[in-house]
Each structure stands twice: as structure tokens, then as C-alpha cells.
Amino acid sequence: MTDIAVTETKPAESEGSKFFKRFIKRKTVAFGLIVLVIFVTLAVLAPWIAPYSPSKLSIVNRLKPPSELFWFGTDEFGRDVFSRTIYSARLSLLIGASVVVLSAAIGVTLGLLAGFFQKLDTPIARLIDAMMAFPDILLAIALVAALGPSLTTVIVALSIVYSPRLARIVRASTLVIRELPYVEAAQALGISTFHIMTRHVLRNLLSPILVQATFLFASAMLAEAGLSFLGLGVSPEIPTWGTMIAAGRQYIGQADWMTYFPGFAIILSVLSLQMVGDGLRDMLDPRLRRDL
């Protein structure tokens, strides 16, 4: 009798698992992803993690330096800076995510229409150029000042400001994709224009849209902090990193921690999103992926 060798076959590794392993292989991407996860966790679990209420006043503990009792110190009203910092992360992430969703809806729609229909290309392209001619922060300030400062106004204003970025990318890619043979074949078969735009064109644009969304997320968080710093953001009663820095600038040299910790939070959150965005761009771009 002959012995039959039995070999164990390992289950094939999924494409998603391979992509994730290659994605976090770079140290900068792994660092950015870890920092981003930490911020999201702190924001979601803020009511359970924060040792104090972000709006609790305590004049007795006014301008206390960092200690075991107050990790990040206290502000001019005795409020815990650590609690206010992590509660501010909730608002910043909410605004960033909302701006990405709304600006993607506006920008992708305009870009698809401009790139697919030649009659709409010129007017939409000129509208995009006109909006991008203004500096982002100045246009956002003008819109918020005209509509009135509030959470909804900030989200709408920043979405209008950043939607042209996505619209320009989608338009340029659509102009190329609409001339490809499989799109022409779908048109020859009588497939509806809406079906072609959503199933054949839009699906091939997901990679650049996803990469650009990470950068828009970071830009929206930074712009929100700038608007809040100028007093044009959400209500002053709601803690934000921008309002915390604005309040702390009056105590520079006396209570530096009031500006340091929210400032570091802005830097780390925006930097982590930029690192993740760079990693996605390198992984999803075939020309850059070959160098990894």
C-alpha cells in the first residue's frame, strides 16, 4: 500500500484583507489610522470618558494648571479643559462627516452632468471656476455671515465651498470615461443614460472620490475651527476647538494649556486624516501602487 500525503489547504485570503494589510504597512498610514480611531472613540464615548460636564462652572477652580484632578487644567470659568476637548471632537467629526456627504452629493452631481452632457459642460465648468476663484475661508465667512452663524449654516456653507473640488475631479474623469468603448457599447444597446452614469461611470470614480473625501474631511474640520475662532461658528455655549483657542488667547503666558491642548487636537486630527488620505491615494492609484 502506498502512503497518501494529505496536505492542508489554507483558506484563500480575501482581497479586502490583502488591501488592509498593504494599506497599514506604511508606518505613517498606520499612525494616522490609530490616531483617527482614538479620536473617534473619544468622541463617541465622551459622555462616559469625560470626568466632568463640559459646561460645568467652578469659579473656585478657575485657571488651574494640569494635575491629577484636572488632566488638561481648567479655563477662565473653571471648566475642565480635557472634558471640553473630547466633547469638541464630537462636533468637529460631525461637521466634517456632514460636509463630506453633502459636498459629495453636490460635487459628484455637478461633475457627472458637466462631464457627460456637452451642453451643460460650459456653464457648470464656469460656475466651478468662479467658486474656486475665492479663497475657501473667505467664501465660508461670507456665506455664514449672510445666513447667520449656526451648526446647520456652517455645514451648508462649508459644503458649498468644498463641493467644487469634487466637481472638478469628477468632471475631468467623466470626460475620459464617457469616450471609452464599453460606455459607447452601452449607449448603442439603448441602455438609459441614468443607468450608464450610475453603473458604468460613477463606479469607476469611487477611488478618486474616496481619496478626495478624506482631504475634504480634514479641510472641513480645520475650517470649522477657524470659523469658531472668529466667532462665526456654532453657538458659543457649545464647546469647539476653535472657541477654546479663541478664549485661551487672552491668557497666553498665564494659562497656556487653554490653547495648547485644543490646538494639539486640531493638529493631530487633521494630520491623521491627511496621512490616511495619502495612503488611500497611493493604494488606489495603479501608477503609485507599483512603487509600494
Side-chain angles (χ1 to χ4, degrees), residues 41-112:
T41 303
L42 290 174
V44 173
L45 302 179
W48 296 274
I49 296 176
Y52 305 98
S53 169
S55 57
K56 182 181 179 181
L57 305 180
S58 178
I59 303 302
V60 177
N61 295 316
R62 181 175 179 269
L63 299 178
K64 293 286 186 180
S67 62
E68 294 182 359
L69 188 60
F70 303 105
W71 294 352
F72 288 0
T74 60
D75 62 8
E76 72 275 24
F77 297 110
R79 296 173 296 190
D80 182 48
V81 175
F82 174 72
S83 299
R84 291 176 63 80
T85 300
I86 61 176
Y87 266 93
S88 299
R90 307 183 79 185
L91 184 67
S92 294
L93 292 173
L94 172 63
I95 291 177
S98 301
V99 169
V100 167
V101 172
L102 187 55
S103 61
I106 299 172
V108 170
T109 301
L110 291 176
L112 280 174

Side-chain angles (χ1 to χ4, degrees), residues 10-172:
K10 295 182 179 180
E13 193 174 14
S14 64
E15 290 296 327
S17 178
K18 292 180 181 178
F19 178 86
F20 183 74
K21 287 183 178 180
R22 293 180 61 188
F23 180 63
I24 64 174
K25 188 177 180 180
R26 295 173 57 183
K27 294 181 179 180
T28 55
V29 176
F31 172 78
L33 198 59
I34 291 172
V35 172
L36 188 59
V37 170
I38 291 174
F39 270 100
V40 173
T41 303
L42 290 174
V44 173
L45 302 179
W48 296 274
I49 296 176
Y52 305 98
S53 169
S55 57
K56 182 181 179 181
L57 305 180
S58 178
I59 303 302
V60 177
N61 295 316
R62 181 175 179 269
L63 299 178
K64 293 286 186 180
S67 62
E68 294 182 359
L69 188 60
F70 303 105
W71 294 352
F72 288 0
T74 60
D75 62 8
E76 72 275 24
F77 297 110
R79 296 173 296 190
D80 182 48
V81 175
F82 174 72
S83 299
R84 291 176 63 80
T85 300
I86 61 176
Y87 266 93
S88 299
R90 307 183 79 185
L91 184 67
S92 294
L93 292 173
L94 172 63
I95 291 177
S98 301
V99 169
V100 167
V101 172
L102 187 55
S103 61
I106 299 172
V108 170
T109 301
L110 291 176
L112 280 174
L113 293 175
F116 205 85
F117 300 103
Q118 294 183 355
K119 293 182 179 180
L120 298 176
D121 186 18
T122 300
I124 293 179
R126 297 293 78 78
L127 174 63
I128 294 173
D129 293 340
M131 294 182 65
M132 295 193 69
F134 294 94
D136 295 342
I137 191 64
L138 291 182
L139 183 56
I141 290 173
L143 291 172
V144 172
L147 300 175
S150 68
L151 177 61
T152 303
T153 301
V154 170
I155 293 174
V156 172
L158 293 179
S159 300
I160 294 174
V161 168
Y162 293 122
S163 57
R165 296 188 185 184
L166 270 174
R168 187 174 63 172
I169 293 173
V170 172
R171 171 185 172 272

